[in-house]
Each structure stands twice: as C-alpha cells, then as structure tokens.
Amino acid sequence: MSVSDVNDDVKKYMRRAIFNAWKGAGHVSPNPMVGAVIVKNGSIIGEGYHEQYGGLHAERNALANCKESAVGADMFVTLEPCCHYGKQPPCTEAVAASGIKRVFVGSADPNPCVSGKGVAYLRAAGIEVIENVLKDECDEINDVFFYYITTHLPFVTMKYAMTMDGKIACYTGKSQWITSDAARLRVHSDRNRYSAVMVGVGTVIADDPMLNCRIENGVNPIRIICDTILRTPLKSKIVTTADDIPTIIATCCTDKEKISAYEKKNVRILTACEKNNHIDLEKLMETLGAENIDSIILEGGALLNWSALKAGIVNKVQTYVAPKIFGGNDAKSPVGGIGVAIPDECFQLENMKVKHIGEDILIESRVKNVHRNN
C-alpha cells in the first residue's frame, strides 16, 4: 500500500492518533507530541499518547493499553517511531516485539538520532510501513519540535489582537478587551502549549499582566520580560507572583543592588548581550534554547514586535482580528519601530490559514525567510 492508496478508515484512525497527540500539549516539551492507535479486525484495541516528558512514548502507551494481543494488528502513529535510547528505550523494539504487522506513519522525525532509521528498523523486522499519512496534519502538531530539534533555537510565535482598522489600543492606550472570550481562551490554550511567554517591559508597565495560563489543568509558561535597563516595577504582578510562576527578566543592567531586589523576590535575572542600546534578541534566543526552552509566544507590545521581526527570530504570526473600529491617528498598530522604508523591504508572510474564533478571525501565517537581518 502506498500513501496515495490510503482509504477513509486509514484517515479516520490517523486522525484519532492526531487527537491523542494533542493531549500532550504543555506536558512533553522539549519532546514532540505523539499519538498512537492500534487497530485489529476493524476495531481499536489500544491507543495512547506521549503524556509527559520522560514518560512512556505513545507507541508503548498504546501497547500497554491493548485489551487483546496486538499480533497481526495495524498501528497508526503520528511521528516516526524512535529507534534510540533516551529517557525511554526505543519504541521500534517494542513495536517489533508486539507482532504488529503494519505501521502507518504521519510525520518523519528530523531528529538526527531517528531520521529514517526508525522506519528502516521496522522494515528490516518484516513490518510493512506506510509513510506520510495525513502528513500536513501530523506535521502541524510538532512545528515547534521540528524547528527546535534542528536549530536548537526556540520557535517564536508573535501574537497580537487588533481591530478591523489595525489598532491594538485606543488613542488613550486602553486595550481591554479587543477580542471575545473565545479568542482569549484560545490564547490561554497556546500559553499552555508553549514553553514561555515573552513581553517587553513597556507592556508590564502599561498593563500589569499576569501572563499565566487560565485553562483547567493548564501549565503556566515561563514568563520572560525584555527589560534593557531594568525598570520592571517591583510591585508588578509579574514580580510579586514569581514564587509561583517561573519568571525571567532579561536585561543589560549590571547594577548588583538593583538586581538583588528582584532576586530576593525569586525573579531570575538573565544578563543579556546589548545591541544598538537594546537586548540582542538573537543572542537571547541562543541562550534560552540552550536551556531547553523550545518555544515562545511573543505577546508584544508594538516595539518588541518590530525588534523581533528585525532580528529575524519570528517564525509564525497569529493575528486576531475583531469586528471593531477604533480609529485615531495616535492609536497604536501591532508593529511599531521605524518600519521598512519601501514595500520591497517588507517582512513577507506565507502559508496563511484563516479560522473563525467566536466572533473574531484568527489568521496564522509563517514568516518567510526567517533569520534575515536589516
């Protein structure tokens, strides 16, 4: 069987595996999210997913959950089974030992320890392997992992909400709320998925946000504040809740007395490199990536958004558009800074996907040619 021959049942079972994979959001980083389903005689006899970092992988969980022998069964797995020893033994060994006769794989694994080797192991064991089943849907699960495992840099998503006339606040600076409850719930779901949320100090001073995850059983992201000269208010929610939520302030300030005031409140001060009187965001990404922070959702404001685009660190843009108009020559737009001089210098977006979230619209786009510097 080739991928072009897959029938509706194959797609149904792979979509079930995809559904399972998403259950691991927020719990497996920096590992990939993976789901698996085992089918025998037209019925699901076992399924599972990678539940937590360091725990059993999806394939082994599915096998452990089988209600009857897996001999002669088919396995549907969203990502190529691993074939190396890490925190868990190779899944390929467990699949081969189980007697499964056929494996349907969604995504290839770009991890150099696995890439193509997992499939080769299964075929050498006499198991038929059909690759690239619902590949695009399976790839979407692990856009973060694929980028991080190949670059060792965090996958950065720039998120903002704006009105139909492109404003992120009124001329007074008031911005709560632009989008609906449904859109804000989606934002919290993403905070659950991403390792960290990052804002500039201006956002902290203006809005005094918590930047936590407010969904049931959600995981709070690490909070990262870009604060070049260290002026985050000590009485801000970010600082006063640092005992409960990991909080990092990246700064170029080296004043030991100022730093000590934050450290006493359990805020971690990360000394960042300086570039043009601001934090060098490229170097900051290298530092954070080395600490296993595989993903960041960038929540503004306008100046940080511009700086991040200019530094070439943004992979994806999430634009929430509300059916409202604010108007105002002095009302802010999502991306500040000086901007580009001519249209040809624009930051080009591609692969746009449009979704309705309640009464709002979410446009998700990829940034073309990441790592360009102007």
Side-chain angles (χ1 to χ4, degrees):
M1 177 185 287
S2 69
V3 67
S4 60
D5 298 324
V6 298
N7 56 34
D8 288 343
D9 282 342
V10 169
K11 294 177 182 178
K12 178 181 73 174
Y13 294 129
M14 185 59 81
R15 287 200 170 103
R16 178 71 184 183
I18 291 170
F19 173 81
N20 288 336
W22 281 109
K23 295 178 183 177
H27 300 281
V28 301
S29 172
N31 279 354
M33 293 183 285
V34 186
V37 171
I38 300 172
V39 178
K40 189 172 183 179
N41 298 324
S43 297
I44 295 176
I45 63 168
E47 57 186 324
Y49 65 99
H50 185 27
E51 298 178 11
Q52 60 182 7
Y53 179 70
L56 290 178
H57 291 182
E59 299 92 325
R60 288 182 177 270
N61 269 329
L63 288 167
N65 292 332
C66 274
K67 54 190 178 185
E68 61 179 271
S69 170
V71 173
D74 292 336
M75 174 177 280
F76 299 79
V77 61
T78 57
L79 184 68
E80 178 180 3
C82 68
C83 55
H84 67 290
Y85 282 86
K87 291 186 177 295
Q88 293 291 332
C91 289
T92 49
E93 292 182 0
V95 173
S98 71
I100 282 174
K101 68 174 183 180
R102 193 164 54 171
V103 176
F104 295 84
V105 176
S107 299
D109 191 337
N111 185 344
C113 295
V114 180
S115 187
K117 300 170 188 174
V119 167
Y121 181 100
L122 295 176
R123 286 178 173 152
I127 298 171
E128 182 183 357
V129 181
I130 298 88
E131 300 177 80
N132 301 319
V133 178
L134 299 184
K135 181 180 185 301
D136 290 345
E137 293 177 46
C138 290
D139 285 354
E140 186 178 359
I141 302 169
N142 286 309
D143 51 3
V144 165
F145 172 75
F146 292 167
Y147 183 76
Y148 181 71
I149 198 68
T150 54
T151 66
H152 307 294
L153 297 170
F155 183 96
V156 178
T157 294
M158 185 174 78
K159 186 276 296 182
Y160 54 82
M162 69 179 193
T163 59
M164 291 285 275
D165 58 336
K167 307 298 184 182
I168 61 171
C170 298
Y171 76 90
T172 59
K174 300 294 184 182
S175 61
Q176 296 181 346
W177 295 103
I178 291 175
T179 52
S180 63
D181 290 344
R184 295 199 295 276
L185 179 61
R186 169 61 187 263
V187 170
H188 285 285
S189 295
D190 282 333
R191 286 183 185 176
N192 174 67
R193 178 187 175 193
Y194 283 71
S195 294
V197 57
M198 187 165 79
V199 300
V201 64
T203 297
V204 176
I205 292 171
D207 299 336
D208 194 20
M210 275 288 289
L211 302 178
N212 59 345
C213 175
R214 299 169 204 166
I215 61 173
E216 187 176 358
N217 298 319
V219 178
N220 287 319
I222 298 168
R223 302 179 300 192
I224 303 171
I225 314 303
C226 290
D227 183 357
T228 306
I229 60 175
L230 199 52
R231 58 194 181 100
T232 299
L234 287 168
K235 293 184 178 180
S236 64
K237 292 175 184 174
I238 289 288
V239 174
T240 57
T241 60
D243 280 335
D244 302 315
I245 304 174
T247 303
I248 297 172
I249 295 180
T251 183
C252 300
C253 176
T254 57
D255 186 319
K256 292 182 180 180
E257 187 174 341
K258 287 181 71 174
I259 289 172
S260 177
Y262 293 95
E263 291 178 335
K264 287 177 181 178
K265 294 182 177 292
N266 209 32
V267 174
R268 179 185 168 197
I269 298 298
L270 193 160
T271 303
C273 296
E274 185 175 323
K275 184 176 183 180
N276 299 325
N277 298 317
H278 294 286
I279 290 169
D280 187 330
L281 293 177
E282 284 187 278
K283 293 293 185 183
L284 179 60
M285 293 304 107
E286 292 175 9
T287 300
L288 297 174
E291 297 189 5
N292 283 339
I293 294 177
D294 66 351
S295 53
I296 295 171
I297 184 163
L298 186 65
E299 297 196 12
L303 181 57
L304 182 59
N305 286 345
W306 166 253
S307 298
L309 284 167
K310 192 169 184 292
I313 67 168
V314 180
N315 302 87
K316 182 178 180 180
V317 177
Q318 287 184 326
T319 305
Y320 289 87
V321 184
K324 301 174 182 177
I325 293 176
F326 283 175
N329 291 331
D330 296 327
K332 288 185 178 180
S333 63
V335 181
I338 190 172
V340 299
I342 57 175
D344 286 349
E345 294 178 354
C346 73
F347 296 90
Q348 188 71 46
L349 304 180
E350 60 184 359
N351 300 331
M352 290 189 299
K353 295 180 181 178
V354 181
K355 304 174 185 176
H356 285 275
I357 309 290
E359 63 187 32
D360 306 309
I361 294 172
L362 170 60
I363 305 170
E364 294 188 300
S365 314
R366 289 303 187 100
V367 180
K368 193 174 182 179
N369 299 325
V370 179
H371 294 309
R372 52 172 282 185
N373 292 290
N374 295 329

